[in-house]
């Protein structure tokens, strides 16, 4: 059973529908005991870093334990960013610290190049380090919507990037811990393939 | 770099069970195109990058019907969904997002209560706050005749753009370009820009309006109103500098399926997701 962590963020239904579409058993929960028993955890996220960390307070321990136990974990969008130490979006707020590094705002200088912020729309992946999540998935277009991007200290965890004025890490991967900046549940068939790959790791 | 987005729009009449997609000409005459869920699924399979549902009846009683349409659609459609019509308070955004939508578009409610943009963007994020602007040209013989408006020089002379509300039934005298900047400052994440002069005409988008809007803003602009063929969409991206192009009837009546439009754009060198 996959458990999607409900901590008050936006559209959880789509990610649940995505998993159902690829034949997974999935539930949405805000119950810590259910999360502890979950075979796999999914951390979605829409909104601001600081606000998310406040709402994740009671789940912090169960998430970190799940990751330490090497059980399959998938963070999506803000669910990727909160895995890092801190974010320019909410200075002074401590992230989950699963990965070393921080979260940066797109430089304002990008606007002069005609690049709009948020980075919203379909961008094409460039594959970096091998990752089981991308088994059978090539340099496809994925759907992004964000104004901040992660800056991992260890570049070896970066599975894919996209170009948006700066090189944006699109997915990170270490052992059974995965996270994507894009929304696989909104990225058509290639996105569903990524969800299917995650399910197969359980 | 980002691909240019192709967005089919479903104008939904929700007064019948499951709703029906209608198409008006200049916001008036009506043709029926099919059921919303069925059409949305077809467009997803054809390669649509996003789908917009507009509740043209926009009454409170239909809110649940729209939520049901979104719920049913998102079981099989895995691209972003935007919902417009009758979104009046932050709770309406939350309800639509819970049903499976990713964005909500507001027009009349935001003009009546601009603070809605600030409030909603705090609750659901800017990326979910689309502002719909239905703009009509107001010609002036000299820019000095409209000193408080953003007057631009067009092929047909000087004009400014007037925001309309209630689906084009009422004009506000609000300068569309200034209003869009204000929306951006208040936290809007995107502008869905419809030309009321072109809507339903199939003469092509108002490229002068689209370009002025896009160059005026840091947030993405979706061009809407008037598309009759794939070349119009090409022009929206090249001359109009739009980030996305919205169309309805060319998709509904199968004149140009989404994949035909995308193949055409790709051949012309526009980056699209195929």
């Amino acid at each position: 059973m996959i458990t999607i962590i409900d901590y008050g963020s936006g559209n959880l239904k789509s990610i649940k529908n995505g998993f159902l579409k690829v034949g997974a058993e999935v539930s949405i929960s805000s119950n810590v005991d259910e999360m502890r028993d979950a075979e796999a955890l999914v951390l979605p996220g829409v909104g601001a870093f600081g606000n998310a960390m406040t709402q994740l307070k009671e789940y912090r321990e169960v998430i970190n334990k799940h990751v330490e136990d090497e059980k399959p974990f998938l963070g999506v969008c803000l669910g990727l960013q909160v895995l890092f130490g801190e974010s320019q979006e909410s200075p002074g707020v401590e992230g989950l610290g699963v990965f070393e590094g921080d979260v940066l705002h797109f430089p304002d200088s990008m606007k002069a190049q005609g690049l709009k912020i948020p980075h919203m729309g379909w961008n094409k992946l460039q594959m970096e380090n091998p990752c089981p999540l991308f088994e059978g998935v090539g340099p496809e277009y994925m759907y992004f919507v964000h104004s901040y991007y992660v800056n991992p200290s260890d570049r070896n965890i970066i599975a894919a990037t996209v170009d948006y004025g700066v090189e944006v890490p699109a997915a990170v991967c270490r052992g059974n811990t995965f996270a994507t900046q894009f929304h696989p549940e909104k990225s058509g068939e290639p996105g569903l393939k990524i969800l299917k790959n995650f399910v197969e790791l359980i | 770099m980002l691909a240019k987005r192709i967005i089919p729009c479903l104008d939904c009449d929700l007064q019948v069970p499951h709703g029906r997609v209608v198409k008006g000409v200049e916001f008036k005459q009506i043709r029926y195109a099919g059921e919303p869920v069925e059409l949305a699924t077809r467009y997803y399979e054809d390669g649509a990058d996003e789908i917009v549902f507009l509740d043209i009846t926009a009454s409170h009683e239909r809110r649940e019907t729209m939520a049901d349409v979104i719920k049913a659609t998102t079981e099989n459609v895995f691209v972003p969904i935007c919902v417009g019509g009758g979104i009046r308070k932050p709770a309406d955004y939350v309800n639509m997002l819970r049903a499976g939508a990713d964005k909500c578009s507001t027009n009349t409610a935001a003009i009546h209560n601009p603070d809605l943009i600030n409030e909603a963007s705090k609750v659901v994020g800017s990326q979910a706050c689309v502002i719909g602007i239905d703009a009509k040209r107001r010609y002036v013989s000299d820019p000095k005749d409209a000193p408080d408006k953003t007057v631009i020089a067009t092929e047909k002379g000087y004009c400014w753009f007037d925001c309309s509300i209630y689906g084009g039934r009422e004009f506000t005298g609000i300068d569309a370009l200034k209003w869009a900047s204000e929306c951006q400052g208040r936290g809007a994440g995107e502008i869905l820009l419809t030309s009321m002069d072109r809507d339903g005409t199939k003469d092509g988008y108002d490229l002068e309006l689209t370009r002025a809007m896009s160059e005026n803003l840091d947030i993405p602009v979706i061009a809407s109103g008037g598309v009759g063929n794939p070349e119009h969409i090409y022009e929206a991206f090249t001359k109009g500098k739009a980030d996305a192009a919205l169309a309805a009837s060319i998709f509904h009546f199968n004149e140009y399926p989404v994949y035909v439009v995308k193949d055409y754009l790709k051949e012309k060198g526009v980056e699209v997701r195929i």
Side-chain angles (χ1 to χ4, degrees), chain B residues 238-254:
Chain B
T238 51
K239 295 182 187 160
K241 304 251 179 130
D243 299 281
L246 180 139
S249 56
I250 63 161
F251 300 138
H252 297 341
F253 303 109
N254 254 328

Side-chain angles (χ1 to χ4, degrees), chain A residues 37-110:
Chain A
D37 294 339
E39 290 172 282
L41 278 183
V42 175
L43 182 63
V46 169
F49 189 96
N51 190 38
M53 286 315 303
T54 306
Q55 288 177 302
L56 278 171
K57 211 170 182 176
E58 55 183 310
Y59 308 125
R60 193 179 183 114
E61 204 182 311
V62 68
I63 292 171
N64 283 317
K65 176 81 166 62
H66 186 97
V67 169
E68 276 163 29
D69 291 348
E70 284 284 307
K71 287 155 87 178
F73 180 93
L74 177 65
V76 173
C77 197
L78 186 67
L80 156 74
Q81 297 180 4
V82 294
L83 298 179
F84 286 78
E86 59 177 335
S87 172
Q88 287 182 345
E89 185 172 19
S90 309
V93 176
E94 197 186 334
L96 293 170
V98 167
F99 295 117
E100 274 184 41
D102 51 3
V103 185
L104 309 174
H105 190 259
F106 281 116
D108 275 340
S109 59
M110 284 173 49

Side-chain angles (χ1 to χ4, degrees), chain B residues 6-205:
Chain B
I6 304 298
I7 308 179
C9 176
L10 309 177
D11 288 339
C12 302
D13 168 6
L14 301 174
Q15 299 179 92
V16 297
H18 311 297
R20 58 187 174 184
V21 176
V22 302
K23 183 56 201 165
V25 178
E26 285 174 1
F27 289 71
K28 285 166 200 148
Q29 294 165 27
I30 300 287
R31 281 170 83 185
Y32 298 106
E35 283 191 8
V37 178
E38 184 189 294
L39 276 181
T41 307
R42 191 175 93 208
Y43 297 148
Y44 168 65
E45 286 164 357
D46 283 354
D49 296 310
E50 195 165 324
I51 296 169
V52 172
F53 292 77
L54 292 179
D55 172 7
I56 58 156
T57 40
S59 58
H60 260 311
E61 307 81 70
R62 309 292 172 207
R63 273 303 66 73
E64 282 314 300
T65 316
M66 184 55 111
D68 289 343
V69 165
I70 299 304
K71 274 180 199 155
T73 299
T74 51
E75 281 173 19
N76 290 300
V77 171
F78 298 96
V79 292
I81 302 288
C82 175
V83 181
I87 308 287
R88 296 191 179 101
K89 49 187 192 297
D92 296 331
Y93 286 77
V94 172
N95 285 342
M96 285 303 168
L97 263 52
R98 286 220 179 107
D102 302 279
K103 310 173 180 183
C104 290
S105 178
T106 51
N107 175 0
T108 310
I111 284 189
H112 284 159
N113 172 25
D115 287 341
L116 173 65
I117 307 169
N118 306 63
E119 289 161 18
S121 64
K122 275 196 196 99
V123 176
V124 296
S126 286
Q127 84 293 333
C129 296
V130 180
I131 296 297
I133 296 181
D134 295 342
K136 189 166 180 66
R137 288 182 174 218
R138 298 292 181 206
Y139 289 98
V140 289
S141 49
D142 191 289
K144 285 183 206 127
D145 296 344
D148 58 335
K149 306 291 193 229
T150 314
V151 175
I152 68 164
T154 73
E155 278 180 17
K156 288 183 180 167
Y158 292 111
C159 75
W160 62 278
F161 297 93
D162 187 355
C163 289
S164 83
I165 52 175
Y166 297 119
R169 287 188 289 272
E170 200 174 292
F171 289 92
T172 60
I174 292 170
D175 179 333
L177 291 161
K178 279 190 191 155
W179 168 235
S181 296
E182 181 182 338
C183 292
Q184 173 176 292
R186 286 176 177 272
E190 194 163 33
I191 301 292
L192 199 182
L193 177 65
T194 303
S195 161
M196 291 202 50
D197 303 284
R198 295 300 181 90
D199 196 62
T201 64
K202 296 192 175 259
D203 292 338
Y205 298 101

Side-chain angles (χ1 to χ4, degrees), chain A residues 11 17 21 116 122 141 186 188, chain B residues 3 76 78 100 102 218 271:
Chain A
N11 180 355
N17 286 340
K21 190 73 185 176
K116 299 189 170 182
W122 298 80
Y141 283 96
K186 289 289 169 185
Chain B
N76 290 300
F78 298 96
D102 302 279
D218 297 324
E271 187 170 350

